[in-house]
Every structure is written in structure tokens, then in C-alpha cells.
């Protein structure tokens, strides 16, 4: 028997009478960039989809700093509640592609499975500090100490306490963006998003065909649509008003009327456009949300679009993942700059634009433009919005912060 660690595979390979046994520990240690024999364990990740994505990325970057593999964490299928039995844990690989993540994030961060553990050096429980005295500097020093000395000898460092979303932030936006790029939805969820996008574009082609009086038009093969993350729910309006008072910023909340007016004033929008409204299910029975739009803007939400059945068969987390994908793929996206959902979509769209060699949308028309309806922009339309990828931490684009640039 010959033990090898240079193979990309894992398991046992038989060749004639020679039996090659690929050692799990040797294979893991050979992974370039991040150690595969030392691990970080984090608590179940909770709250909404995009707060969970931030928490996951923060856990990955913490593991990266410790030069450890992150043990695949549990996400939460439902919204955060005080009752722990309502959190409904769901495995990471039921939402995102595990192998694809490691392939895309190779040498940067790495996910591992609990089956990779060997119980050789045990587990060390590390409690993250809390309270006002637990500063960013103290948190960073704790991580530095954990990356060397006796703590680092343990095979697993298990972070005890609060959700990673609440951990102190030590990493630049570009590092978060790198992790987010590696998150690819599993095929089952991606196909559900495909169905919704296809339905939107199919309706868009029909409307544009009627506008052109049935004339053949090659551009109809790609009917553009606008996606609006419309935060007008009662609980959001109460929260954003309090947030405006605390932060002394008046441009957080937006009424339905204000959103409709500003979207209708987007320069170059065209005479006819399909508008997909990403709204909470509680508003699906409120027909008034479809009324009052500028002529030429044809609004649809899940129910009118006829896709509410696609969403209803899934948990809250999966519904959010589908809506995120639908908004992310839109030709034009309009959101609220104080929303985590909107902010991460704009970050992803900014990454696409940057890959095309464009670092600013000032004074030019770019593909996949994004806007913030809560801030007035050109011609009383919404403000153009690109993520500032040079920010030193995620606070600039995270929940409760304003990150607008043209």
C-alpha cells in the first residue's frame, strides 16, 4: 500500500494488483492557500438571507485569518425568532454549491465537511467577546492570539456565542465581494429563478410586440425589465422612521408614491418597460401597489405574474434566494440604499461592471445600471448607485449605512 497526497481525488484507487490509498489528512494538508487539517466552527447562521450571506462571508474571512478551513455551517430557512425551534436549520449545500464554492474560492477561503475531522487534537471553545468594552481592537487581538501558540494546536477552534453577522468587521469590501462571487445557487433553486425571469421576459416581448404593432423586431428576443426592491411594508416603515431619527438622516424611508415617481423619471428608461416588484408576501393582496405607475411602466408582482406558486412551495430563505436572483439579473435594478438585500445586489452588479473595465457610472450609460430610489438623482429620478469597492470594511454597504456613488 502506498500513501499518496498529490492526487486531486479522495478515496481508494485500484490498479491491477496495486492498491493506492489516498490519505484524507495528507490530501487535506496539501490544499494550496488554506490549511485543510485545521478547522473553524461557527454557530448556526440566522436572520434574513443577505444577513446570513454576510455572516457566512465574515466566518470565511475569520477562518482565512486563522489559516483554517471553515466547517460547513448551518443556515436558517426561516427568519430569526427568539424561539430557537423556529429557526429551522438548513445545510449550506442545500442552498449553495459546495464543490463550486471551493473551486471558485480556491487559495482564498475554503469550506470543509465534518467528515473531514479526525479527532486528533480535539476542540478548543473560543468565546467571542461582547459588550461595549469589547472593541474592534480587542477582537482583532483575540484572533491574532488564536492563530498561534497553544490554541492553534487544536484541530478545531469552535466559536461560541453570537451569530457571525454581529462579529466585529476587519476585512475590506473587496474580500467580502470575493467570497460572495463564490456563492452559486444549487441547480434546483437556480432553475426556479429561471422560470420567473423567463415569465417576465416572455410578457415583456408580448407587450413590446403590441407596441410595435406586431412588427418583427430582433431586439424582442431579449425583452429588458426593471426590478424594484420595494420596501414599503408597515414594519419597515416603522423601523426606517426610527432609523432616520437616530441617524439624523432624512433619506432612508420612501413612500410608494415617491418610489413610483422617481422610477418613472429614470433617464433613458424607454416608452414601455416591464417592472417587477420584489415585495413582501403581505403586499401581494394589496392591488393598490400596482396602481399609479407612469404610462408605459407595466408593474407585476408574484401574484399578477402568476409565479406565486413557485415561491410558496419553498421556505423563506429559498424564496429570498429566488427573488435575489431575479433582481440581480434585471437590466435595471432600483433599491433602497439602507437595505442589505439591495446593497448586496448592487455590490454584485458593480463587480460585473468592473470586469468590463468601468469603475464609475458618472456621466455614462453602463450595462446593469443600479439606482437608489430613496435618494434623488438626475431629473428627479433615483440616484445612480455603484458600490465603492475600495472601502476598508463592509459597514459602508451593510445594513443601516449609506453607500451611494455615481
Amino acid at each position: 500500500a502506498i500513501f499518496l497526497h498529490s492526487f486531486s481525488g479522495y478515496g481508494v484507487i485500484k490498479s491491477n494488483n496495486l492498491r493506492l490509498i489516498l490519505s484524507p489528512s495528507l490530501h487535506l494538508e496539501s490544499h494550496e492557500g488554506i490549511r485543510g487539517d485545521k478547522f473553524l466552527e461557527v454557530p448556526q447562521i440566522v436572520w434574513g438571507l443577505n444577513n446570513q450571506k454576510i455572516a457566512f462571508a465574515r466566518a470565511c474571512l475569520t477562518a482565512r485569518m486563522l489559516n483554517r478551513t471553515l466547517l460547513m455551517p448551518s443556515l436558517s430557512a426561516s427568519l430569526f425568532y427568539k424561539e430557537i425551534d423556529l429557526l429551522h436549520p438548513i445545510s449550506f449545500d442545500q442552498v449553495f454549491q459546495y464543490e463550486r464554492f471551493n473551486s471558485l474560492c480556491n487559495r482564498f477561503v475554503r469550506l470543509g465537511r465534518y467528515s473531514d475531522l479526525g479527532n486528533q487534537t480535539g476542540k478548543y471553545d473560543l468565546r467571542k467577546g461582547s459588550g461595549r468594552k469589547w472593541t474592534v481592537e480587542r477582537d482583532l487581538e483575540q484572533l491574532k492570539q488564536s492563530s498561534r501558540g497553544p490554541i492553534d494546536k487544536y484541530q478545531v477552534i469552535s466559536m461560541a456565542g453570537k451569530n457571525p453577522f454581529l462579529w466585529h468587521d476587519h476585512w475590506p469590501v473587496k474580500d467580502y465581494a470575493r467570497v460572495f462571487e463564490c456563492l452559486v445557487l444549487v441547480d434546483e433553486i437556480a432553475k426556479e429563478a429561471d422560470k420567473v425571469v423567463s415569465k417576465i421576459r416572455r410578457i415583456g416581448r408580448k407587450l413590446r410586440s403590441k407596441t410595435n404593432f406586431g412588427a418583427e423586431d430582433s431586439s424582442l428576443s431579449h425583452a429588458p425589465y426593471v426590478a424594484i426592491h420595494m420596501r414599503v411594508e408597515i414594519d419597515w416603515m416603522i423601523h426606517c422612521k426610527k432609523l432616520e431619527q437616530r441617524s439624523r438622516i432624512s433619506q432612508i424611508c420612501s413612500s410608494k408614491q415617491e418610489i413610483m415617481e422617481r422610477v418613472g423619471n429614470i433617464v433613458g428608461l424607454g416608452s414601455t418597460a416591464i417592472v417587477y416588484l420584489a415585495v413582501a408576501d403581505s403586499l401581494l393582496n394589496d392591488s393598490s401597489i400596482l396602481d399609479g405607475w407612469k404610462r408605459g411602466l407595466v408593474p407585476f408582482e408574484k401574484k399578477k405574474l402568476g409565479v406565486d406558486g413557485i415561491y410558496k412551495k419553498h421556505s423563506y430563505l429559498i424564496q429570498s434566494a429566488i427573488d435575489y436572483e431575479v433582481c440581480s439579473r434585471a437590466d435595471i435594478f432600483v433599491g433602497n440604499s439602507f437595505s442589505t438585500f439591495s446593497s448586496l445586489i448592487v455590490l454584485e452588479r458593480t463587480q460585473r461592471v468592473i470586469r468590463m473595465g468601468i469603475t464609475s457610472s458618472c456621466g455614462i450609460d453602463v450595462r446593469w445600471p443600479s439606482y437608489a430610489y430613496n435618494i434623488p438623482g438626475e431629473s428627479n429620478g433615483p440616484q445612480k448607485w455603484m458600490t465603492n469597492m475600495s472601502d476598508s470594511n463592509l459597514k459602508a454597504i451593510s445594513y443601516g449605512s449609506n453607500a451611494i456613488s455615481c
Side-chain angles (χ1 to χ4, degrees):
I2 302 175
F3 286 84
L4 300 174
H5 67 273
S6 59
F7 284 71
S8 60
Y10 178 73
V12 177
I13 298 177
K14 294 180 181 179
S15 177
N16 296 327
N17 294 325
L18 179 65
R19 184 178 178 88
L20 303 181
I21 303 174
L22 307 184
S23 167
S25 59
L26 289 177
H27 169 71
L28 291 170
E29 289 174 1
S30 70
H31 193 283
E32 295 182 28
I34 298 294
R35 288 182 301 179
D37 61 334
K38 296 293 176 72
F39 302 88
L40 178 71
E41 181 182 50
V42 300
Q44 179 184 345
I45 294 175
V46 299
W47 290 343
L49 169 67
N50 291 286
N51 286 340
Q52 291 189 52
K53 288 168 69 173
I54 290 173
F56 171 77
R58 193 159 291 167
C60 283
L61 295 173
T62 301
R64 171 180 164 82
M65 181 180 181
L66 299 175
N67 192 16
R68 288 173 174 263
T69 294
L70 177 66
L71 287 171
M72 189 169 62
S74 292
L75 305 178
S76 299
S78 54
L79 279 173
F80 177 75
Y81 293 94
K82 292 182 178 179
E83 298 85 354
I84 195 69
D85 60 319
L86 294 178
L87 289 178
H88 299 304
I90 181 173
S91 175
F92 172 90
D93 58 2
Q94 289 183 265
V95 183
F96 301 104
Q97 296 183 32
Y98 171 84
E99 297 292 348
R100 185 68 171 151
F101 179 88
N102 278 338
S103 174
L104 292 173
C105 266
N106 185 33
R107 302 184 184 184
F108 186 67
V109 297
R110 184 173 183 273
L111 272 182
R113 298 184 184 275
Y114 278 85
S115 58
D116 296 334
L117 298 178
N119 294 324
Q120 296 175 357
T121 54
K123 179 188 293 188
Y124 182 85
D125 291 328
L126 181 67
R127 180 165 290 277
K128 296 282 283 186
S130 60
R132 293 183 180 179
K133 293 183 178 181
W134 189 256
T135 62
V136 174
E137 293 73 22
R138 286 189 176 186
D139 187 81
L140 185 60
E141 183 58 32
Q142 183 193 53
L143 293 178
K144 290 178 179 178
Q145 291 177 1
S146 303
S147 65
R148 57 180 182 264
I151 296 178
D152 190 52
K153 293 180 181 179
Y154 286 85
Q155 186 186 28
V156 178
I157 293 178
S158 181
M159 293 289 191
K162 57 190 178 183
N163 170 41
F165 178 68
L166 299 175
W167 293 358
H168 286 294
D169 187 5
H170 308 292
W171 300 279
V173 170
K174 63 181 180 61
D175 284 357
Y176 280 96
R178 177 82 183 275
V179 176
F180 294 146
E181 282 188 302
C182 302
L183 293 172
V184 180
L185 291 174
V186 296
D187 290 342
E188 179 188 358
I189 301 175
K191 288 177 181 177
E192 297 287 59
D194 289 342
K195 295 175 185 176
V196 179
V197 172
S198 295
K199 188 72 174 291
I200 295 172
R201 294 202 186 281
R202 187 160 61 249
I203 292 175
R205 285 193 294 270
K206 289 181 179 178
L207 287 174
R208 292 183 67 187
S209 178
K210 290 179 180 179
T211 302
N212 292 340
F213 302 104
E216 291 294 327
D217 187 347
S218 60
S219 66
L220 294 180
S221 60
H222 178 78
Y225 70 95
V226 181
I228 304 175
H229 182 216
M230 202 161 181
R231 295 308 311 267
V232 292
E233 306 92 338
I234 294 176
D235 58 337
W236 164 259
M237 296 305 289
I238 293 174
H239 171 73
C240 72
K241 288 295 184 184
K242 292 180 179 178
L243 191 58
E244 285 186 336
Q245 292 173 359
R246 289 198 305 268
S247 60
R248 297 181 180 180
I249 297 174
S250 60
Q251 295 176 335
I252 301 177
C253 303
S254 293
S255 66
K256 170 196 159 189
Q257 192 61 39
E258 186 175 61
I259 295 172
M260 291 191 301
E261 180 179 350
R262 286 184 177 162
V263 170
N265 289 330
I266 292 178
V267 177
L269 186 57
S271 58
T272 303
I274 292 293
V275 178
Y276 175 72
L277 306 179
V279 297
D281 287 344
S282 60
L283 296 176
L284 293 182
N285 294 320
D286 180 9
S287 60
S288 66
I289 199 170
L290 301 172
D291 299 332
W293 292 84
K294 182 179 178 180
R295 185 176 180 180
L297 297 183
V298 186
F300 287 85
E301 31 74 272
K302 301 178 187 70
K303 194 170 183 179
K304 181 181 177 183
L305 195 63
V307 297
D308 51 327
I310 294 176
Y311 288 82
K312 286 179 180 178
K313 63 183 181 181
H314 295 291
S315 66
Y316 170 82
L317 185 73
I318 307 304
Q319 291 181 27
S320 296
I322 296 171
D323 242 12
Y324 182 95
E325 194 69 13
V326 173
C327 289
S328 177
R329 297 185 198 178
D331 299 87
I332 296 174
F333 173 72
V334 192
N336 187 299
S337 66
F338 280 76
S339 161
T340 308
F341 183 97
S342 294
S343 295
L344 292 196
I345 288 176
V346 173
L347 184 150
E348 181 178 322
R349 293 166 69 88
T350 298
Q351 283 284 81
R352 290 185 218 159
V353 172
I354 289 175
R355 290 196 205 101
M356 298 173 64
I358 299 171
T359 57
S360 172
S361 61
C362 296
I364 60 173
D365 293 327
V366 299
R367 191 176 180 184
W368 304 300
S370 301
Y371 298 85
Y373 56 65
N374 56 305
I375 298 179
E378 182 184 359
S379 302
N380 198 33
Q383 171 68 48
K384 282 188 175 181
W385 184 5
M386 285 185 71
T387 302
N388 183 358
M389 303 300 291
S390 64
D391 278 316
S392 60
N393 59 63
L394 201 66
K395 183 179 180 181
I397 74 158
S398 186
Y399 180 77
S401 296
N402 187 344
I404 288 293
S405 69
C406 68

